[in-house]
Amino acid sequence: MDCLFCKIAGGEIPSKKVYEDELCYAFYDIDPQAPVHFLVIPKAHIQSVSQVDEAAAPVVGHIFAVIAQVARELGLESYRVVSNIGPQAGQSVPHLHFHVLSGRDMTWPPG
Ligand code: AMP
Ligand code: ZN
């Protein structure tokens, strides 16, 4: 499939790996928006949160356990997890991903 994040998860396109297992892959964002900014993606292609159904729920739950574990290992005390769905929300890559941002003050509401 011609999908940037499928290619990154498969190692076809290089990335700076943070974590990997059989279900998911985590890597640093190429255009970081905070001192720490990495992405966690399922290895299987899912377009966005809008396509998550009961069959995909276990991998999404697993991804959140991975986020908590990696954040602990990196010593992150406070961080934000974001997933953009659709172009108006700012989704630029149509493969489900969770941004993990940390290391600076965050504003609310998000822009
Ligand atoms: P979104 O805009 O929410 O779809 O997030 C996509 C993210 O992927 C953006 O933060 C980009 O900076 C990031 N990105 C795009 N290409 C790459 C790449 N080759 N390696 C790492 N991150 C990337
Ligand atoms: Zn994909």
Side-chain angles (χ1 to χ4, degrees), residues 40-52:
V40 189
I41 65 174
K43 287 190 169 174
H45 184 85
I46 299 170
Q47 192 178 313
S48 75
V49 168
S50 70
Q51 301 304 306
V52 173

Side-chain angles (χ1 to χ4, degrees), residues 1 3 5-6 45 95:
M1 186 187 297
C3 168
F5 284 0
C6 281
H45 184 85
H95 179 126

